[in-house]
Amino acid sequence: MKNEEYSQSKLNRVKRGAVRATYEKEKINNILDAGFLCYVGYIYEGKPITIPMAYARKDNKIYIHGSTGNRMLLSILESKETSITVMHLDGLVLARSGLHHSVNYRSVTLFGGLKKVEKDEEKTEVLRWIVDQMIPNHWDSLRPMYKKELDRTLVVEFTINTGSAKIRDVGVNDEPEDYDLDIWAGIVPIKQVAEYPIADKGKPEKMKIPDHILDYYKGNQ
């Protein structure tokens, strides 16, 4: 049985390096779930801008948040659509010539529509998802949200209408005549790692680090 895919169109079709493209929803979701930072594009006063945002994914929805005066969130809500990109750098590909240097990566580009999350209980649940996408099981260790905090927070739901992923996970691709040169070539693997947690000043300095935070540290060394 074929995996479910996003249909291809001029909007989401990968043209350059098409052999590295995938439209499979499961592979795209796996790339999304491996991170918690996305890049959101918008137009503000006629100028294109892209900024990073924390996010959470649930089914075919991406959730982001900011202050009620956040110009990016207000702009994309007004336009009713945007594009979101997520990318993970996996390695530096060092070739025998400068032209053939590259990187190994996993990237996703999404296109979709937007709506504002209105109800306090729904906003709270989304914020739980965002925090837990960053550090699993962290939300339940925190104090409850104040009403005034929710009132100052704008939460946006982005529905994925279509998307595509592009993945490079191979070695050096040099010119045939260059392989006999006395030049080192290869891959430098890259990964994001967690270092040992540092307590905030005050009571946390005397407290045991929660198990779920240590689990995250150990799982991301």
Side-chain angles (χ1 to χ4, degrees), residues 117-175:
V117 178
E118 300 279 5
K119 296 181 180 179
D120 283 354
E121 58 268 27
E122 293 178 358
K123 290 168 66 174
T124 300
E125 188 65 11
V126 169
L127 294 171
R128 168 195 286 271
W129 295 338
I130 293 173
V131 168
D132 282 348
Q133 181 138 346
M134 185 182 299
I135 298 284
N137 304 311
H138 190 51
W139 181 266
D140 286 338
S141 69
L142 308 178
R143 67 153 172 81
M145 295 280 292
Y146 295 140
K147 179 68 167 62
K148 64 181 180 181
E149 292 175 324
L150 287 172
D151 291 343
R152 294 197 300 259
T153 302
L154 178 58
V155 175
V156 172
E157 178 185 275
F158 169 89
T159 299
I160 305 171
N161 293 332
T162 190
S164 58
K166 195 174 178 185
I167 302 167
R168 190 190 196 279
D169 56 3
V170 296
V172 177
N173 184 20
D174 268 320
E175 298 296 328

